[in-house]
């Protein structure tokens, strides 16, 4: 599927007040693939023009202007976290590796303080004129791994703020994750980000998952029953787009079997504790949703904090972000999007 028109948007906001972009979506919805695409496009360490032959972005007037001209730091935060015992050690390791990359790429730059990453990036920018693009995948893994450690969370947010906020040498910051950025308590370290979520996908809607037009094309190419694919994997309503789970659609096209492919990528047991909270008749609400109903949900109260969930609306909002429920932005209602999710929720 050609999702390269996403680059049109990042080019449009490049080095503007809207240059900080955070796109949150469920697991297996192509977050890492999108991040890799952007890294390949912007990085001066790549010669990627041929990769985009025959794709939509190649026809855009901005394509050559930004292609392979920038210093790119691509950071998979989950990998750094998995190799560190604490957030503090993770931040130190990240600083050391990025600093090492800088000195290897720019050995002749006069660094004022080689222990200070931000200062050194500024030195590179001033002496070479080449700005930076920062791409962070799985940005929110800290909040999933350290759910109850407020000190670790704030330490991480402070690092990201010092790394990204108001830096003239950074011309684009793109982050992906499952949870949105805002509302982590009173900490507003990352309030400079424009967010695109499962609650409000905005211009990112056609790039989160597969659209109906794309799935019809796949079904024709792989000789699959479109109506059956729609029944099993459709249902995420983003703006004016019906969005399908891309992992599931690819799997059914390749394997030809209709079933829940989510159970292969993570356990449904992760959501059982939240359903068992049974705030305000939550279980009854989920049973009602499973029967095909849509129910009202107030998404504004959820603070993106899975430890301090305090209401039925908090749980339902969290399930929307995880992809276990669909959301109608106009009606402000939650619903089961498709048969795959219905089976997952029924089992839970």
């Amino acid at each position: 599927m050609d999702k390269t028109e996403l680059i049109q948007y990042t080019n449009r906001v490049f080095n503007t007040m809207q240059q900080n972009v955070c796109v949150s979506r469920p697991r297996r919805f192509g977050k890492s693939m999108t991040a890799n695409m952007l890294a390949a496009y912007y990085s001066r360490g790549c010669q990627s023009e041929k990769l985009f032959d025959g794709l939509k972005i190649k026809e855009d007037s901005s394509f050559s202007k930004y292609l392979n001209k920038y210093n790119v730091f691509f950071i998979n935060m989950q990998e750094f976290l998995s190799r560190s015992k604490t957030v503090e050690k993770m931040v130190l390791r990240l600083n050391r590796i990025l600093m090492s990359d800088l000195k290897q790429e720019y050995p002749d730059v006069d660094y004022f303080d080689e222990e200070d990453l931000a200062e050194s990036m500024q030195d590179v920018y001033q002496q070479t004129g080449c700005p930076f693009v920062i791409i962070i995948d799985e940005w929110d893994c800290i909040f999933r791994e350290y759910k109850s450690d407020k000190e670790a969370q704030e330490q991480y947010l402070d690092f990201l703020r010092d790394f990204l906020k108001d830096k003239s040498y950074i011309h684009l910051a793109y982050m992906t994750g499952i949870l949105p950025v805002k509302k982590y308590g009173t900490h507003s370290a990352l309030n400079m980000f424009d967010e695109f979520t499962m609650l409000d996908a905005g211009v990112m809607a056609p790039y989160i998952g597969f659209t109906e037009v794309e799935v019809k094309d796949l079904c024709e190419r792989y000789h699959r029953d479109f109506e059956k694919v729609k029944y099993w994997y459709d249902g995420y309503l983003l703006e004016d787009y019906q969005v399908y789970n891309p992992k599931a659609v690819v799997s059914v096209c390749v394997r030809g079997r209709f079933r829940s492919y989510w159970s292969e990528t993570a356990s449904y047991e992760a959501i059982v504790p939240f359903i068992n909270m049974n705030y305000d008749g939550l279980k009854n609400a989920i049973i009602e949703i499973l029967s095909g109903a849509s129910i009202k949900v107030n998404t504004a109260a959820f603070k993106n904090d899975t430890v301090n969930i305090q209401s039925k609306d908090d749980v339902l909002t969290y399930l929307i972000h995880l992809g276990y429920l669909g959301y109608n932005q106009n009606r402000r209602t939650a619903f089961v999007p498709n048969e795959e999710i219905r089976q997952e929720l029924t089992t839970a």
Side-chain angles (χ1 to χ4, degrees), residues 9 41 55 68 99 130 161 176 210 243 272 313 324:
Y9 178 79
Y41 174 75
L55 301 178
N68 300 147
M99 193 65 226
C130 186
R161 178 195 61 203
T176 73
F210 289 169
V243 174
V272 171
D313 287 329
Y324 283 97

Side-chain angles (χ1 to χ4, degrees), residues 14-15 19-20 42-44 69-74 98 101-103 105-106 109 111 117-135 163-164 167-174:
F14 201 88
N15 196 26
Q19 70 182 34
N20 300 297
Y42 286 110
S43 176
R44 58 186 291 273
K69 291 179 179 162
Y70 303 96
N71 297 310
V72 173
F73 278 145
F74 180 93
L98 296 187
D101 286 349
L102 270 188
K103 289 191 288 186
E105 186 68 22
Y106 294 103
V109 165
Y111 295 102
L117 176 62
E119 185 77 36
S120 297
M121 291 170 69
Q122 177 69 27
D123 292 338
V124 168
Y125 180 55
Q126 286 182 337
Q127 296 176 47
T128 68
C130 186
F132 288 81
V133 170
I134 309 298
I135 300 172
F163 183 41
L164 299 173
K167 300 296 190 290
S168 61
Y169 49 82
I170 295 178
H171 286 191
L172 178 70
Y174 182 93

Side-chain angles (χ1 to χ4, degrees), residues 5-17:
E5 287 180 308
L6 167 66
I7 299 172
Q8 289 182 4
Y9 178 79
T10 55
N11 284 349
R12 192 162 70 243
V13 300
F14 201 88
N15 196 26
T16 71
M17 294 295 290

Side-chain angles (χ1 to χ4, degrees), residues 150-263:
K150 293 296 182 185
E151 184 177 348
Q153 293 177 11
E154 292 194 3
Q155 183 180 10
Y156 174 61
L157 287 172
D158 287 339
F159 160 73
L160 288 179
R161 178 195 61 203
D162 295 340
F163 183 41
L164 299 173
K165 193 169 185 178
D166 300 327
K167 300 296 190 290
S168 61
Y169 49 82
I170 295 178
H171 286 191
L172 178 70
Y174 182 93
M175 299 200 310
T176 73
I178 293 175
L179 290 175
V181 167
K182 296 176 183 176
K183 298 181 181 178
Y184 283 108
T186 58
H187 219 68
S188 59
L190 303 181
N191 58 5
M192 70 284 199
F193 274 88
D194 283 346
E195 295 193 75
F196 304 91
T197 73
M198 297 302 284
L199 300 175
D200 185 2
V203 297
M204 294 294 177
Y207 314 119
I208 297 177
F210 289 169
T211 65
E212 191 148 279
V213 171
E214 292 168 339
V215 173
K216 284 182 177 178
D217 178 58
L218 280 175
C219 289
E220 288 180 10
R221 280 195 273 160
Y222 286 86
H223 309 291
R224 303 301 178 213
D225 184 338
F226 168 71
E227 291 302 327
K228 196 170 182 180
V229 172
K230 182 179 178 68
Y231 172 73
W232 270 86
Y233 308 116
D234 182 23
Y236 296 99
L237 184 61
L238 302 178
E239 302 300 323
D240 295 326
Y241 294 90
Q242 289 286 337
V243 174
Y244 293 63
N245 180 335
K247 161 65 178 173
V249 172
V250 168
S251 296
V252 79
C253 284
V254 172
R255 301 184 189 184
R257 294 180 60 194
F258 289 88
R259 57 187 177 86
S260 175
Y261 289 100
W262 263 29
S263 58

